[in-house]
Amino acid sequence: MTVAAALAAHPSPAAQQDLLAAAVAAALGCSQACTACADSCLSESDVTDMRRCISTDLTCADVCAMTARVLSRQTSPDADVVRAVLVACIAACTTCGEECAAHADHHEHCRVCAQACQECAQACRALLDVLA
Amino acid sequence: MTVAAALAAHPSPAAQQDLLAAAVAAALGCSQACTACADSCLSESDVTDMRRCISTDLTCADVCAMTARVLSRQTSPDADVVRAVLVACIAACTTCGEECAAHADHHEHCRVCAQACQECAQACRALLDVLA
Amino acid sequence: MTVAAALAAHPSPAAQQDLLAAAVAAALGCSQACTACADSCLSESDVTDMRRCISTDLTCADVCAMTARVLSRQTSPDADVVRAVLVACIAACTTCGEECAAHADHHEHCRVCAQACQECAQACRALLDVLA
Amino acid sequence: MTVAAALAAHPSPAAQQDLLAAAVAAALGCSQACTACADSCLSESDVTDMRRCISTDLTCADVCAMTARVLSRQTSPDADVVRAVLVACIAACTTCGEECAAHADHHEHCRVCAQACQECAQACRALLDVLA
């Protein structure tokens, strides 16, 4: 993955490149893990117990994919928008991470996804802290 | 467009169907208007003056597309996530709408987009008010 | 929705504006109907019978959302890419439309979604015919 | 990034896990590289010469993001849809990769993006070969 290289090549790169690249990579990874987890839950024999997990996965996948895109733009970013996006991403990852963690002992995809959610929430919070 | 019908057919439809359908439709429309406006700005002879407009358009398009998806899910939505998403969408639409409004007298696509941003921000705020 | 106005305001609008605007609007509508149908299926008591429908809905939603964005760009579009995108969208809508049609008599959201898929496939095929 | 782990945890994982995981990871990376390249081009002093590059970047970002999602679903995938999606992704990456390669000697972000496009096209072609 070329996230750090792609961001550093901007003609006027933002400060905090390390935190930015970490958040973008974590959001991309979390979006994919959530998409895969929703799909895996759908094939489980206990799908009726996984409805909420599928729903939170799908929403977290959408929020994280959007976050990765917004953070990848260093041309005239609006600080209020970036902060609101990070807050939304942290909320989605926290909700989804807690739901997945509740199934982590019997579904490996939920364990993988819970970890991806936790990493993304942390990376977004670290970036938000320096932007606040 | 079948937004209202698609939402109303849910086995356990959310309260506030009218506000929900209005927000989803406005977010879809704003996402498309922003994508088209960014593309139109790119073909203008004064493209160097439209850089910030293109950037805010692209981010607003991403945030609105995500918002339309999240609001379209009525199975176990998390209230904190929905509120944070609406706040982010209002921020993106407000920023982009103001930028586009500044070009509305010489670029018709900016006038169309500014209006779509304003309508989306209003629809999201109306929904947020009843969810708060 | 301002699809036609947003597209017509481009400084060098593509030929076939009517077909283009119809395809963009149909793709946006189908993407939303598929997202809502997947979510509705997830809340049905017969969710175990709706797994394939949920999966085709989610994929069709992604393909249609992407198609609406790609078709909204009239600055230097690549004809090969546009045609390949339309072919993929027609395939996704045909597959999803057939799956939803099989459930249309007992799930209203599947009936709404099957119609949206059919309309999108037709609009994309009409555009593809003039671009081929 | 947890792409391989997330896919392998599916209750009925698809054959060709290695090719699948490689294609998903390449599509995610390419989508991000294209989003960042479009944004970097927008800030270049020669932005008027980069219009086509920005446009192909934005479309390639959308097609790759969609491809990563569709390939991440192993529950009842439709072979015709998957193949059409891969063909569209190869077309978008080939077009964008050639455009970026033409600017690679004076814009580092175009060099990074051209490479990401080439890797994604190759990974999708390798998967398409075994699915055909």
Side-chain angles (χ1 to χ4, degrees):
Chain A
M1 189 90 32
T2 58
V3 172
L7 292 174
H10 191 279
S12 305
Q16 312 294 349
Q17 282 287 304
D18 291 353
L19 290 175
L20 192 63
V24 170
L28 285 174
C30 191
S31 181
Q32 196 276 331
C34 286
T35 300
C37 187
D39 174 70
S40 292
C41 289
L42 194 59
S43 283
E44 295 289 355
S45 54
D46 64 343
V47 61
T48 53
D49 297 332
M50 304 306 291
R51 298 172 202 236
R52 185 168 188 271
C53 194
I54 294 172
S55 182
T56 59
D57 274 337
L58 294 175
T59 283
C60 194
D62 289 340
V63 176
C64 287
M66 175 277 295
T67 300
R69 283 180 169 237
V70 171
L71 296 181
S72 293
R73 293 193 192 103
Q74 302 176 82
T75 302
S76 308
D78 182 88
D80 287 344
V81 173
V82 171
R83 279 192 292 258
V85 162
L86 288 170
V87 168
C89 194
I90 293 166
C93 289
T94 301
T95 296
C96 188
E98 289 173 357
E99 177 67 29
C100 279
H103 309 286
D105 57 348
H106 54 290
H107 290 320
E108 168 68 6
H109 48 84
C110 288
R111 195 194 61 73
V112 170
C113 192
Q115 188 179 328
C117 288
Q118 192 180 350
E119 288 173 7
C120 186
Q122 285 178 346
C124 287
R125 205 172 286 120
L127 183 60
L128 183 60
D129 283 347
V130 301
L131 298 178
Chain B
M1 190 91 30
T2 56
V3 172
L7 292 174
H10 191 280
S12 304
Q16 312 294 350
Q17 283 288 303
D18 290 354
L19 290 176
L20 191 62
V24 169
L28 285 175
C30 190
S31 182
Q32 196 277 330
C34 287
T35 299
C37 186
D39 175 69
S40 293
C41 289
L42 194 59
S43 282
E44 293 290 355
S45 54
D46 65 344
V47 60
T48 52
D49 297 332
M50 305 305 291
R51 297 173 202 237
R52 185 170 187 272
C53 194
I54 293 172
S55 182
T56 58
D57 273 337
L58 294 175
T59 283
C60 194
D62 290 339
V63 177
C64 288
M66 175 277 295
T67 300
R69 282 179 170 239
V70 171
L71 295 181
S72 292
R73 292 192 192 104
Q74 303 175 83
T75 302
S76 307
D78 181 88
D80 287 344
V81 174
V82 170
R83 278 191 293 258
V85 161
L86 287 170
V87 168
C89 194
I90 292 166
C93 289
T94 301
T95 296
C96 188
E98 289 172 357
E99 176 67 29
C100 279
H103 309 286
D105 57 348
H106 54 291
H107 290 319
E108 169 68 6
H109 47 84
C110 288
R111 194 193 61 73
V112 170
C113 191
Q115 187 179 329
C117 288
Q118 193 181 348
E119 288 173 6
C120 185
Q122 285 177 344
C124 287
R125 205 172 286 120
L127 183 60
L128 183 60
D129 283 348
V130 300
L131 297 178
Chain C
M1 190 93 29
T2 57
V3 172
L7 293 174
H10 191 279
S12 303
Q16 313 293 351
Q17 282 286 304
D18 290 354
L19 291 175
L20 192 63
V24 170
L28 284 174
C30 190
S31 182
Q32 196 276 330
C34 286
T35 300
C37 186
D39 175 69
S40 293
C41 289
L42 194 59
S43 282
E44 294 289 355
S45 54
D46 65 344
V47 60
T48 52
D49 297 331
M50 304 306 291
R51 297 173 203 236
R52 184 169 187 270
C53 194
I54 293 172
S55 182
T56 59
D57 273 337
L58 293 176
T59 283
C60 195
D62 290 339
V63 176
C64 287
M66 176 276 296
T67 300
R69 282 181 170 237
V70 171
L71 296 181
S72 292
R73 293 191 193 104
Q74 302 176 84
T75 301
S76 308
D78 182 88
D80 286 345
V81 174
V82 171
R83 279 191 293 258
V85 161
L86 288 169
V87 167
C89 195
I90 293 166
C93 289
T94 301
T95 295
C96 189
E98 289 173 355
E99 177 67 28
C100 280
H103 309 285
D105 57 347
H106 54 290
H107 290 321
E108 168 67 6
H109 47 84
C110 288
R111 194 194 61 73
V112 170
C113 192
Q115 187 179 327
C117 288
Q118 192 180 350
E119 289 173 6
C120 186
Q122 285 178 345
C124 287
R125 206 171 286 121
L127 183 59
L128 183 59
D129 283 347
V130 300
L131 298 178
Chain D
M1 190 92 31
T2 57
V3 172
L7 293 174
H10 191 279
S12 304
Q16 313 294 350
Q17 283 286 305
D18 290 353
L19 291 175
L20 192 63
V24 169
L28 284 174
C30 189
S31 182
Q32 196 276 331
C34 286
T35 300
C37 186
D39 175 69
S40 293
C41 289
L42 195 60
S43 282
E44 295 289 354
S45 55
D46 65 343
V47 61
T48 53
D49 297 332
M50 303 306 291
R51 298 173 201 236
R52 185 170 186 271
C53 194
I54 293 172
S55 182
T56 59
D57 274 337
L58 294 175
T59 283
C60 194
D62 290 339
V63 176
C64 287
M66 174 276 296
T67 299
R69 283 180 169 237
V70 171
L71 296 181
S72 293
R73 292 191 194 105
Q74 302 176 83
T75 302
S76 308
D78 182 89
D80 286 345
V81 173
V82 171
R83 278 192 293 259
V85 162
L86 288 170
V87 167
C89 194
I90 293 166
C93 289
T94 301
T95 295
C96 189
E98 290 173 355
E99 177 67 29
C100 280
H103 309 287
D105 57 347
H106 55 289
H107 290 321
E108 169 67 6
H109 47 83
C110 288
R111 194 193 62 72
V112 171
C113 192
Q115 187 178 327
C117 288
Q118 193 181 347
E119 288 173 6
C120 185
Q122 284 177 346
C124 287
R125 206 173 284 119
L127 183 60
L128 183 60
D129 283 348
V130 300
L131 298 179

